Every structure is written in structure tokens, then in C-alpha cells.
Amino acid sequence: MKQKRTTIYDIAKALNIHATYVSKALNEHSNISQEMIDKVKKKAAELKYRHNSSAANFRASYSKTCGVIVPKINESFFSNAIAGIEEVCAQNGHHLIICQSLESYTKEVEAIETLIRQNVDCIIISLSLETKNSNHLQEVLANGITLIQFDRYDESILSYIVKNDNREAAGRAVKHLLDQRYRRIAYIGGPEHLRIYIERKQGFIDTIREAQISIPYEYTCNISLRREESRKIALELLNGPNPPDAFFTASDFAALGVMQAAKDLNIPVPGKLGIFGFQNEEFTQYLTPTLSTVDQKSMELGALSARLYFSNLQNKEETGTSGNYKTEVVKCSLITNQSSVRSSKDPSQS
Amino acid sequence: MKQKRTTIYDIAKALNIHATYVSKALNEHSNISQEMIDKVKKKAAELKYRHNSSAANFRASYSKTCGVIVPKINESFFSNAIAGIEEVCAQNGHHLIICQSLESYTKEVEAIETLIRQNVDCIIISLSLETKNSNHLQEVLANGITLIQFDRYDESILSYIVKNDNREAAGRAVKHLLDQRYRRIAYIGGPEHLRIYIERKQGFIDTIREAQISIPYEYTCNISLRREESRKIALELLNGPNPPDAFFTASDFAALGVMQAAKDLNIPVPGKLGIFGFQNEEFTQYLTPTLSTVDQKSMELGALSARLYFSNLQNKEETGTSGNYKTEVVKCSLITNQSSVRSSKDPSQS
DNA sequence: TTGTAAGCGTTATCAA
DNA sequence: TTGATAACGCTTACAA
């Protein structure tokens, strides 16, 4: 159906030279007269020739394409990360094939399959919440494809990892809450088969311990971090015999649930309840009160992931050896908004 | 560097049959004994064979890939649209190559070039604000690639168009403001080389006229719809001799600017000033007051764009003819939030 | 400086 | 039922 596109053969025929030579001319190989180059290029333009990357890539057996798998494209953390990846890839003449796992392990496995079939040069992934098994990641490596995990990673896999200083950042957030005279701080965390949630929780626990405060058993929980689920948990705790006076959550969506719960119960934030999220989703700045959160630098996280691939690539070309896998850490910054900053009049509870 | 992947030749060698036959067996052609199919598949699994789509696609001269170009991946309207596109494409065994124009005409042209080179089967695009010229879109068609424009489209190009009922939706929004007893309604619109901004403005003007109200000259403007720019304009109008009592804007970001201006001037919203946006960006629901907006059904817009491609594809296969280009219209729904709903106590100004 | 051959992995087509 | 050939468009290596 599609009309045939112009190929180097068409140009060759028109100029009475060999196709190979056209290819060389277009690529400006040395040993080609400038005259010829100009002639070929002119004819190419005339015939509206376009380099067929898919043919060239096929021959060279690479695709100049990076596969990206994220749980959800339309979640600002991920769309920012993708924006960062896209920019770096574009700068390096690579393209992006994007898949979403929708937090499903099965879909994630399918996406990996697809990308391997597609012959992508590297796969940049942030794992779904459901992913507990890493055979599919092993497959990526077995196919000689560079694997880069960002944010939600599996430590048991030999790959590049780009992550935040989760433990430290969580610690700083909790420290901030303590400084604001909150004392009964609850933690809402994520599924702990994912390392980042262990790290964030650890930051929480360590910091509380350092302050020589004990944490009631029910003050820490691990959930799937959805808004509604978090709201329910917050309601339970706040209605309980020993309500917390602050929440630190491993996700802004969970924090949103807490905020909702506070509204349900008419508890003033930050006066009687401090809230600190994690992720720096776009909406945090629009809430009333604005939500304090940990800025994960999502765009930078994405960009760094891509850069890691390209620097490794360059290294490979120059030295013939692939660099060692390494873990890069992007330092989070705290965004202390209204939800966690008390005025001096606000009472500390005890 | 990359170790060679298993091909059908490897399987053929292992089984002492011809590669062609392996291909047929894997594709379960008729005339192949079930026994053979099983044998081949078993060996394929054993050797960890993976179909090389890029080789197959190259041979078939299609790529089973859709190119997507949006101004900004990380703007919820677009990331939702992409999510919709992705889902439909995945269902149909197609992949997505995603580019962002960052609202730059030059980048958009480059992206088109890239996608043509990549041999994508279709291009789904929402134009950059800078795009006034459509030669690059013409090129897409000239290369036999299906073109689908959504939201920000150029009417002069023969392509599929997926858009909202912009004029009607704008009319309904303005009608709502009138019903809420706002009378001096200003309009902040976008660059009018893009049809959608003409349409939205027309909806505004028509509705105001129908109500037999006259619109002061300075009440309508066309800008690039950025928050700061809009805020400045709103400040000017609100500080002017004849301040508006409501704003209808062609974008939520512009509405955000207006809201900011109202805060700057301590004008109560919605009491003294009504605001109605357009786009249904995620943040609108988190503002205080929540922002009324026109829900463009971004995910549906994206999904429909993709579906249009696949139904055309099917049609082509079945009848051998490509269907006529058509324009699909997605009906917006009004989300009337707090920013435009007055209590009965609020005075109408005159 | 220019030309030729070969091959990347797949599959449609024709032959046995 | 199985095998062989050729082709998709490009580029690398080598020959002239």
C-alpha cells in the first residue's frame, strides 16, 4: 500500500554509479571527491531520499533505541523521569520505546520480552510494585542488553542503578518533623521487597531512635501507597487510643490520603498534625496547606540513567571493555512546605 | 561486544533442518506437522531463541511502531494522552516511539525527520505552539505514513484529526459563568494560528453575544498561555478602570495565573471573581478553591487517536483501500469546581 | 577514486 | 511435508 520510498539504489541508478558508492558519499567517507558528495547529496534531495535507519540499524545489529519501562506514564514522577531520559537520548541520537507496566508483574515481563525482540540497546526500568522476581531482568542481561534500574530497583541484579539517598533523605525529613516539635511520628511505607522502601523506613527508624523516642508497633506500616488505602490507615491511627501527631510517608499519594483523613476528622495541619511526603509530585505545591515532600529530582534521575548508558557506551568503544556496573546516587532535597511547619504558637503535644 | 543472539539458523542447525522451515514452524504455518512444530519450539526455548522483530519488520517494511510527538511529555494533558495511546497500541502489538517538541518548531521538524527515518507506520502528533507551517506534515504523508493530529491540529493538512468540541465546550463554560451571575467575563486565549484557540474563542464570543452583552476590547487576548504571562495580564485587567468579574481561559495554566493574580490583589474567588480553565490538568482539583475546568478527556483523546489508526489499518487490509480521513470529536465535560460557583449571598456586580 | 560482494535475520514464493 | 532462493536497504571489507 505504502508507496516505495527512495533508496540508495534509486539514487545510484539516476547517477549511473553504484549504490555502495552512494552510501559512502552520503556518509562522507574519506576518499570520496567533494564533487561526488555534492552531486549525490543533490540528487538525494531531489529524489526526496531519506536514510532508512531501520535498515541500517538492522544491519549493524543495534537499534540506537532505548527501551523504557515505568509503572505509569502519567504520574508526574515518571513522566518527569521520561522527559529527562528523552532529552539525553535525543542528544545522543537515540530513540525511546516506552512501555508501562501499570504496576503489574505480568505486564512488566511482557514489556521486557517486547523490548528484547525489538533489539533495543538498553533498557531503563523502574520496577512495578508487584515485582518480586527478577528472572526477566536476568534475561535482559543474557541478551547482552545494558540494564539500568532507577528508583525502584532489585539489588540482586547486576546492573546500573540510579537511586536517591533514600535513607538519608528520609532521615532528614523525620529530623525536620522532630525539629518542629512533632513527637509521635507514624510512618506509612511501601512494599519491602523493593529496596527503596526498606531504605526509607530505615531512615525513619534510625532517626527516631537517635532522638531516643520509641515507636509504637502500629506506627509503621507497609502498603501499596495508594491514596485511599493510606487514608484509611491514617483514620484508624488518628481515631486510635494513641494518635500520632505527624506522618511521614514514602509517597506523596499516601500523604495525600493522610491529609484527606485529617480533613475528615477536622484536625488542623500543620498545627495538630504534621505531614511529610516523598516524591515531589506536582500536586504537592497546589494543596492547601502545601505538602512538604522530599524532592527526588525525577528529571535528573531519568537524565542520569540515560547518561550512564551513554558514558558506558563511549567507554566500550574506546577501551573495548564495558565499565563496571555502578550505583549512582542522586541526593534528594527537602521541600519544607506548610504541612510540616508549625508556627511557634502551635502546641507540642506530649 | 554484544554476544550474538540465537537465530533460526542456530535452531535449524541443531535440528538438521532448514532455517526457512524453522521460521514456518515457529509461525505455525499450515502444512507443518504438529510434531515438527513442537520439536522446533522446544529447541527454540532450549536455545533461548527470541524472534528478532527488527529483522522481520525490516523485511516486511513496516515497523509496527507508532511515532508520537507532543510538546511536553511531563504535562498531565499529554502524559495522559500518551497513556491512552500506549494502551491501545500495546493491545494491537504496536510500540511507541516518543518525542517531545518542547513547543519548538525546529524540534518538531527534527522529530518528524527522525520518525520517518525510523520507518514508523504512523505519526500521532499534537503541534507545538510555534508551529505555523506544515511542510513537515506534508512530508509525513508524502512518505506514506498515516498522520493523526490530536488537539492542536493544522486544518490545512489532509489527515485524521481527533479534537474536542472546543467551541461548544467553551460556550458551555461561559454559559455556566453567566448562570452564576458573572457579567464582565474576560477571555485569555492561545495563539490563533492553531485552530483550537480560534474555536475556543469563538465559543466564548458567541455565547457572550447571545446573552446580549458587549465585550470590551481589552477583554480578550491571545498569549502563549503560560502561568506568569497570564498572571500579568490578569493583574492589568483587574487593576484597570473596568475590571472583569470573571475569566475564562483556554488553558488551566493560564487560569492558575489568574488565580494567582486574584490572590495578589486579595480578590475573593469565586465571590468577586469567577475563574474557569480548560484542559483538566491534574492540579486543578488540588487548588483552593478547586478550579473549574473543561475536561478534555485527554486519555480518551489519545486512545481514540490510536484506535483510528488501527481501524484504518484493518480497513486497508480488508478492502485494500485506505478509509477517508475523518475528524473525530470528543465531547468535553464541564467540571464545575469551586472557582466558578457562587453562593447565593455573593453579590452580582454590575 | 570507484566498484563489487557479502551479509545482517526474516519470510514469501516457488520447487522438490 | 520439506527445501532452496531471493529479497528487504544498508554498510564494511576488499578489489580494481
Side-chain angles (χ1 to χ4, degrees):
Chain A
M1 229 58 28
K2 241 170 173 173
Q3 77 269 43
K4 263 177 66 83
R5 58 197 274 176
T6 310
T7 71
I8 49 174
Y9 288 94
D10 300 318
I11 301 176
K13 209 178 293 170
L15 292 174
N16 246 312
I17 55 177
H18 202 94
T20 305
Y21 202 54
V22 172
S23 165
K24 284 184 197 162
L26 289 173
N27 291 310
E28 308 198 16
H29 271 219
S30 48
N31 312 334
I32 308 273
S33 62
Q34 189 57 46
E35 192 194 0
M36 202 45 154
I37 293 183
D38 295 342
K39 209 164 105 189
V40 170
K41 289 205 167 172
K42 200 178 140 219
K43 184 56 90 179
E46 202 181 307
L47 298 179
K48 301 204 175 221
Y49 167 78
R50 271 210 180 65
H51 182 96
N52 185 334
S53 325
S54 86
N57 292 340
F58 165 57
R59 183 185 185 283
S61 88
Y62 53 59
S63 59
K64 294 209 176 189
T65 298
C66 298
V68 178
I69 305 174
V70 293
K72 223 160 158 290
I73 294 172
N74 48 342
E75 196 167 297
S76 84
F77 174 73
F78 294 114
S79 69
N80 281 323
I82 293 174
I85 295 172
E86 200 276 340
E87 204 177 335
V88 174
C89 282
Q91 282 162 9
N92 287 275
H94 275 57
H95 312 111
L96 248 48
I97 294 190
I98 297 195
C99 307
Q100 43 184 351
S101 65
L102 298 173
E103 304 288 10
S104 142
Y105 171 65
T106 320
K107 287 224 160 119
E108 185 173 295
V109 173
E110 281 171 11
I112 295 264
E113 275 299 318
T114 298
L115 294 175
I116 296 178
R117 276 163 158 49
Q118 282 294 311
N119 221 351
V120 296
D121 297 342
C122 83
I123 291 180
I124 301 178
I125 190 173
S126 195
L127 300 178
S128 91
L129 286 181
E130 266 181 44
T131 304
K132 294 180 178 151
N133 169 309
S134 56
N135 297 340
H136 58 315
L137 301 180
Q138 214 56 269
E139 279 304 298
V140 172
L141 299 176
N143 278 272
I145 297 173
T146 304
L147 178 65
I148 297 162
Q149 303 186 72
F150 76 93
D151 196 46
R152 302 202 203 142
Y153 66 99
D154 181 324
E155 63 203 316
S156 74
I157 289 285
L158 199 70
S159 78
Y160 287 100
I161 290 171
V162 178
K163 49 167 284 198
N164 293 114
D165 56 338
N166 288 298
R167 202 168 55 79
E168 292 76 7
R172 293 201 299 279
V174 173
K175 181 74 171 43
H176 162 84
L177 287 171
L178 291 170
D179 288 347
Q180 292 290 320
R181 292 167 287 126
Y182 296 108
R183 280 297 170 274
R184 298 197 308 282
I185 305 172
Y187 170 76
I188 298 182
E192 300 204 346
H193 56 275
L194 289 171
R195 188 79 202 149
I196 55 166
Y197 297 116
I198 299 185
E199 293 169 358
R200 291 178 194 173
K201 185 180 190 173
Q202 205 53 54
F204 165 75
I205 291 176
D206 291 352
T207 308
I208 295 287
R209 287 233 176 94
E210 269 165 35
Q212 303 191 310
I213 297 179
S214 66
I215 312 164
Y217 165 72
E218 70 275 19
Y219 272 25
T220 71
C221 69
N222 306 312
I223 59 168
S224 73
L225 294 170
R226 268 186 277 271
R227 176 183 178 165
E228 262 315 304
E229 205 179 350
S230 164
R231 177 181 172 189
K232 219 180 113 216
I233 286 190
L235 281 174
E236 269 170 31
L237 279 176
L238 290 168
N239 279 327
N242 185 23
D245 64 356
F247 278 87
F248 170 59
T249 67
S251 153
D252 287 333
F253 293 99
L256 193 57
V258 174
M259 213 176 242
Q260 184 73 57
K263 257 182 206 141
D264 293 345
L265 300 176
N266 264 317
I267 302 176
V269 176
K272 294 244 173 189
L273 186 74
I275 307 178
F276 215 110
F278 209 110
Q279 191 148 323
N280 195 19
E281 279 290 309
E282 194 197 17
F283 67 75
T284 55
Q285 60 183 301
Y286 297 121
L287 296 170
T288 306
T290 52
L291 177 63
S292 293
T293 184
V294 176
D295 182 6
Q296 286 196 69
K297 312 265 174 74
S298 47
M299 201 124 127
E300 173 58 17
L301 221 51
L304 183 56
S305 305
R307 259 187 260 122
L308 218 48
Y309 169 67
F310 291 109
S311 67
N312 169 251
L313 197 65
Q314 201 182 17
N315 200 46
K316 239 176 178 174
E317 276 164 8
E318 281 168 6
T319 68
T321 60
S322 153
N324 291 326
Y325 284 121
K326 42 187 169 186
T327 296
E328 294 269 355
V329 178
V330 172
K331 199 165 174 244
C332 295
S333 63
L334 290 204
I335 300 188
T336 49
N337 274 328
Q338 297 161 348
S339 69
S340 69
V341 177
R342 296 221 238 207
S343 85
S344 51
K345 303 187 304 275
D346 290 324
S348 349
Q349 306 183 357
S350 61
Chain B
M1 228 61 21
K2 240 171 175 174
Q3 76 268 44
K4 263 175 66 80
R5 58 196 274 174
T6 310
T7 71
I8 48 174
Y9 287 95
D10 300 319
I11 302 176
K13 209 178 293 169
L15 292 174
N16 246 313
I17 56 176
H18 202 94
T20 306
Y21 202 52
V22 172
S23 165
K24 285 184 195 161
L26 289 173
N27 290 309
E28 307 199 17
H29 271 220
S30 48
N31 313 332
I32 308 271
S33 62
Q34 189 57 46
E35 190 194 3
M36 201 46 155
I37 294 182
D38 295 343
K39 208 164 108 188
V40 169
K41 289 204 167 175
K42 199 178 142 219
K43 185 54 92 180
E46 199 181 311
L47 297 179
K48 301 204 176 219
Y49 167 79
R50 273 210 179 66
H51 182 95
N52 185 333
S53 327
S54 88
N57 292 341
F58 165 58
R59 184 185 185 283
S61 87
Y62 53 59
S63 58
K64 293 210 178 191
T65 298
C66 297
V68 178
I69 306 174
V70 293
K72 224 161 159 286
I73 294 171
N74 48 341
E75 196 167 295
S76 84
F77 174 73
F78 293 114
S79 69
N80 281 322
I82 293 174
I85 296 171
E86 200 275 340
E87 204 177 335
V88 173
C89 282
Q91 281 161 10
N92 287 274
H94 275 59
H95 312 111
L96 248 47
I97 296 192
I98 297 195
C99 308
Q100 45 183 350
S101 64
L102 299 173
E103 305 287 11
S104 140
Y105 171 67
T106 320
K107 288 226 160 117
E108 186 174 292
V109 172
E110 282 171 12
I112 294 267
E113 275 299 317
T114 298
L115 293 175
I116 295 178
R117 276 162 155 54
Q118 283 295 312
N119 222 351
V120 296
D121 297 342
C122 84
I123 292 182
I124 300 177
I125 190 172
S126 196
L127 300 177
S128 90
L129 286 181
E130 265 181 44
T131 303
K132 294 179 179 153
N133 171 309
S134 57
N135 297 339
H136 57 316
L137 301 181
Q138 215 54 269
E139 279 304 297
V140 172
L141 299 177
N143 279 271
I145 297 173
T146 304
L147 178 66
I148 296 163
Q149 303 185 71
F150 75 94
D151 196 46
R152 301 200 204 147
Y153 66 99
D154 181 325
E155 62 203 316
S156 74
I157 289 286
L158 199 71
S159 79
Y160 287 99
I161 291 171
V162 178
K163 49 167 284 197
N164 293 113
D165 56 339
N166 288 297
R167 202 167 56 78
E168 292 75 7
R172 292 201 301 279
V174 173
K175 181 73 171 44
H176 162 85
L177 287 171
L178 290 169
D179 288 347
Q180 292 291 321
R181 292 169 285 120
Y182 296 107
R183 282 296 171 274
R184 297 196 310 282
I185 305 172
Y187 169 76
I188 298 182
E192 301 205 346
H193 56 274
L194 289 171
R195 187 79 201 150
I196 56 165
Y197 296 116
I198 298 185
E199 293 167 358
R200 291 178 194 172
K201 186 181 189 173
Q202 206 53 53
F204 165 74
I205 291 178
D206 292 352
T207 308
I208 295 286
R209 286 234 176 95
E210 269 165 34
Q212 302 191 309
I213 297 177
S214 66
I215 314 162
Y217 165 74
E218 69 275 18
Y219 272 25
T220 71
C221 69
N222 307 310
I223 59 169
S224 72
L225 296 170
R226 269 185 277 271
R227 175 183 181 166
E228 263 313 305
E229 206 179 347
S230 163
R231 175 180 174 192
K232 222 182 110 215
I233 286 190
L235 281 174
E236 269 170 30
L237 280 176
L238 290 169
N239 279 326
N242 186 23
D245 64 358
F247 278 88
F248 170 58
T249 67
S251 154
D252 287 333
F253 293 100
L256 193 58
V258 174
M259 210 176 244
Q260 184 73 56
K263 254 181 207 140
D264 293 345
L265 300 175
N266 264 314
I267 302 177
V269 176
K272 294 245 176 191
L273 187 73
I275 307 178
F276 215 110
F278 209 111
Q279 191 150 322
N280 195 19
E281 280 289 311
E282 194 196 17
F283 66 74
T284 56
Q285 60 181 303
Y286 298 122
L287 295 170
T288 306
T290 52
L291 177 62
S292 293
T293 185
V294 176
D295 182 4
Q296 286 195 69
K297 313 267 175 69
S298 46
M299 202 123 126
E300 172 58 16
L301 222 51
L304 182 57
S305 305
R307 260 186 259 123
L308 218 47
Y309 169 67
F310 291 110
S311 67
N312 170 251
L313 197 65
Q314 201 183 15
N315 199 48
K316 241 175 173 172
E317 276 164 9
E318 282 169 6
T319 68
T321 61
S322 152
N324 291 326
Y325 284 122
K326 44 188 168 184
T327 297
E328 294 267 358
V329 177
V330 172
K331 200 166 175 241
C332 297
S333 63
L334 291 204
I335 300 187
T336 49
N337 273 329
Q338 297 161 348
S339 69
S340 69
V341 177
R342 296 218 238 207
S343 84
S344 51
K345 305 188 303 275
D346 289 324
S348 350
Q349 305 184 356
S350 63

PDB file of all heavy atoms in Angstrom, chain B residues 119-131:
ATOM      1  N   ASN B 119      11.064   4.697  10.062  1.00  0.00           N
ATOM      2  CA  ASN B 119      10.117   3.826   9.385  1.00  0.00           C
ATOM      3  C   ASN B 119       8.856   3.539  10.195  1.00  0.00           C
ATOM      4  O   ASN B 119       8.299   2.457  10.113  1.00  0.00           O
ATOM      5  CB  ASN B 119      10.828   2.500   9.094  1.00  0.00           C
ATOM      6  CG  ASN B 119      10.491   1.989   7.725  1.00  0.00           C
ATOM      7  OD1 ASN B 119       9.599   2.532   7.067  1.00  0.00           O
ATOM      8  ND2 ASN B 119      11.181   0.960   7.307  1.00  0.00           N
ATOM      9  N   VAL B 120       8.446   4.504  10.991  1.00  0.00           N
ATOM     10  CA  VAL B 120       7.226   4.266  11.783  1.00  0.00           C
ATOM     11  C   VAL B 120       6.033   4.140  10.849  1.00  0.00           C
ATOM     12  O   VAL B 120       6.043   4.642   9.727  1.00  0.00           O
ATOM     13  CB  VAL B 120       6.947   5.408  12.788  1.00  0.00           C
ATOM     14  CG1 VAL B 120       8.049   5.493  13.805  1.00  0.00           C
ATOM     15  CG2 VAL B 120       6.754   6.735  12.084  1.00  0.00           C
ATOM     16  N   ASP B 121       5.024   3.447  11.313  1.00  0.00           N
ATOM     17  CA  ASP B 121       3.835   3.226  10.487  1.00  0.00           C
ATOM     18  C   ASP B 121       2.867   4.389  10.570  1.00  0.00           C
ATOM     19  O   ASP B 121       2.095   4.632   9.665  1.00  0.00           O
ATOM     20  CB  ASP B 121       3.118   1.948  10.934  1.00  0.00           C
ATOM     21  CG  ASP B 121       4.008   0.744  10.728  1.00  0.00           C
ATOM     22  OD1 ASP B 121       4.973   0.849   9.957  1.00  0.00           O
ATOM     23  OD2 ASP B 121       3.749  -0.304  11.347  1.00  0.00           O
ATOM     24  N   CYS B 122       2.890   5.059  11.687  1.00  0.00           N
ATOM     25  CA  CYS B 122       2.009   6.221  11.780  1.00  0.00           C
ATOM     26  C   CYS B 122       2.612   7.233  12.747  1.00  0.00           C
ATOM     27  O   CYS B 122       3.472   6.896  13.551  1.00  0.00           O
ATOM     28  CB  CYS B 122       0.605   5.822  12.227  1.00  0.00           C
ATOM     29  SG  CYS B 122       0.380   5.666  13.982  1.00  0.00           S
ATOM     30  N   ILE B 123       2.180   8.450  12.581  1.00  0.00           N
ATOM     31  CA  ILE B 123       2.648   9.500  13.486  1.00  0.00           C
ATOM     32  C   ILE B 123       1.437  10.169  14.109  1.00  0.00           C
ATOM     33  O   ILE B 123       0.526  10.606  13.417  1.00  0.00           O
ATOM     34  CB  ILE B 123       3.517  10.531  12.737  1.00  0.00           C
ATOM     35  CG1 ILE B 123       4.835   9.881  12.303  1.00  0.00           C
ATOM     36  CG2 ILE B 123       3.795  11.755  13.612  1.00  0.00           C
ATOM     37  CD1 ILE B 123       5.803  10.811  11.591  1.00  0.00           C
ATOM     38  N   ILE B 124       1.446  10.191  15.425  1.00  0.00           N
ATOM     39  CA  ILE B 124       0.376  10.848  16.169  1.00  0.00           C
ATOM     40  C   ILE B 124       0.971  12.105  16.792  1.00  0.00           C
ATOM     41  O   ILE B 124       1.933  12.026  17.551  1.00  0.00           O
ATOM     42  CB  ILE B 124      -0.178   9.914  17.270  1.00  0.00           C
ATOM     43  CG1 ILE B 124      -0.730   8.632  16.631  1.00  0.00           C
ATOM     44  CG2 ILE B 124      -1.265  10.618  18.070  1.00  0.00           C
ATOM     45  CD1 ILE B 124      -1.245   7.603  17.649  1.00  0.00           C
ATOM     46  N   ILE B 125       0.439  13.229  16.437  1.00  0.00           N
ATOM     47  CA  ILE B 125       1.089  14.471  16.848  1.00  0.00           C
ATOM     48  C   ILE B 125       0.119  15.493  17.404  1.00  0.00           C
ATOM     49  O   ILE B 125      -1.052  15.551  17.011  1.00  0.00           O
ATOM     50  CB  ILE B 125       1.848  15.097  15.632  1.00  0.00           C
ATOM     51  CG1 ILE B 125       2.735  16.257  16.083  1.00  0.00           C
ATOM     52  CG2 ILE B 125       0.872  15.565  14.550  1.00  0.00           C
ATOM     53  CD1 ILE B 125       3.639  16.797  14.988  1.00  0.00           C
ATOM     54  N   SER B 126       0.612  16.262  18.353  1.00  0.00           N
ATOM     55  CA  SER B 126      -0.082  17.460  18.805  1.00  0.00           C
ATOM     56  C   SER B 126       0.925  18.590  18.612  1.00  0.00           C
ATOM     57  O   SER B 126       2.033  18.541  19.156  1.00  0.00           O
ATOM     58  CB  SER B 126      -0.490  17.320  20.274  1.00  0.00           C
ATOM     59  OG  SER B 126      -1.455  18.286  20.603  1.00  0.00           O
ATOM     60  N   LEU B 127       0.559  19.570  17.818  1.00  0.00           N
ATOM     61  CA  LEU B 127       1.531  20.559  17.359  1.00  0.00           C
ATOM     62  C   LEU B 127       2.090  21.452  18.468  1.00  0.00           C
ATOM     63  O   LEU B 127       1.422  21.727  19.456  1.00  0.00           O
ATOM     64  CB  LEU B 127       0.904  21.441  16.281  1.00  0.00           C
ATOM     65  CG  LEU B 127       0.417  20.705  15.031  1.00  0.00           C
ATOM     66  CD1 LEU B 127      -0.250  21.680  14.061  1.00  0.00           C
ATOM     67  CD2 LEU B 127       1.567  20.003  14.334  1.00  0.00           C
ATOM     68  N   SER B 128       3.292  21.914  18.241  1.00  0.00           N
ATOM     69  CA  SER B 128       3.898  22.872  19.167  1.00  0.00           C
ATOM     70  C   SER B 128       3.230  24.229  18.975  1.00  0.00           C
ATOM     71  O   SER B 128       2.665  24.502  17.919  1.00  0.00           O
ATOM     72  CB  SER B 128       5.394  22.999  18.887  1.00  0.00           C
ATOM     73  OG  SER B 128       5.647  24.016  17.943  1.00  0.00           O
ATOM     74  N   LEU B 129       3.315  25.064  19.978  1.00  0.00           N
ATOM     75  CA  LEU B 129       2.698  26.387  19.863  1.00  0.00           C
ATOM     76  C   LEU B 129       3.367  27.218  18.768  1.00  0.00           C
ATOM     77  O   LEU B 129       2.770  28.115  18.206  1.00  0.00           O
ATOM     78  CB  LEU B 129       2.793  27.140  21.203  1.00  0.00           C
ATOM     79  CG  LEU B 129       1.863  26.672  22.317  1.00  0.00           C
ATOM     80  CD1 LEU B 129       2.043  27.527  23.565  1.00  0.00           C
ATOM     81  CD2 LEU B 129       0.404  26.710  21.882  1.00  0.00           C
ATOM     82  N   GLU B 130       4.608  26.876  18.471  1.00  0.00           N
ATOM     83  CA  GLU B 130       5.352  27.645  17.475  1.00  0.00           C
ATOM     84  C   GLU B 130       5.018  27.287  16.035  1.00  0.00           C
ATOM     85  O   GLU B 130       5.406  27.987  15.107  1.00  0.00           O
ATOM     86  CB  GLU B 130       6.847  27.381  17.658  1.00  0.00           C
ATOM     87  CG  GLU B 130       7.577  28.370  18.511  1.00  0.00           C
ATOM     88  CD  GLU B 130       9.057  27.994  18.578  1.00  0.00           C
ATOM     89  OE1 GLU B 130       9.660  27.643  17.543  1.00  0.00           O
ATOM     90  OE2 GLU B 130       9.594  28.044  19.687  1.00  0.00           O
ATOM     91  N   THR B 131       4.358  26.155  15.861  1.00  0.00           N
ATOM     92  CA  THR B 131       4.185  25.625  14.506  1.00  0.00           C
ATOM     93  C   THR B 131       3.152  26.383  13.685  1.00  0.00           C
ATOM     94  O   THR B 131       1.963  26.353  13.987  1.00  0.00           O
ATOM     95  CB  THR B 131       3.779  24.136  14.589  1.00  0.00           C
ATOM     96  OG1 THR B 131       4.775  23.450  15.324  1.00  0.00           O
ATOM     97  CG2 THR B 131       3.651  23.539  13.204  1.00  0.00           C
TER      98      THR B 131
END
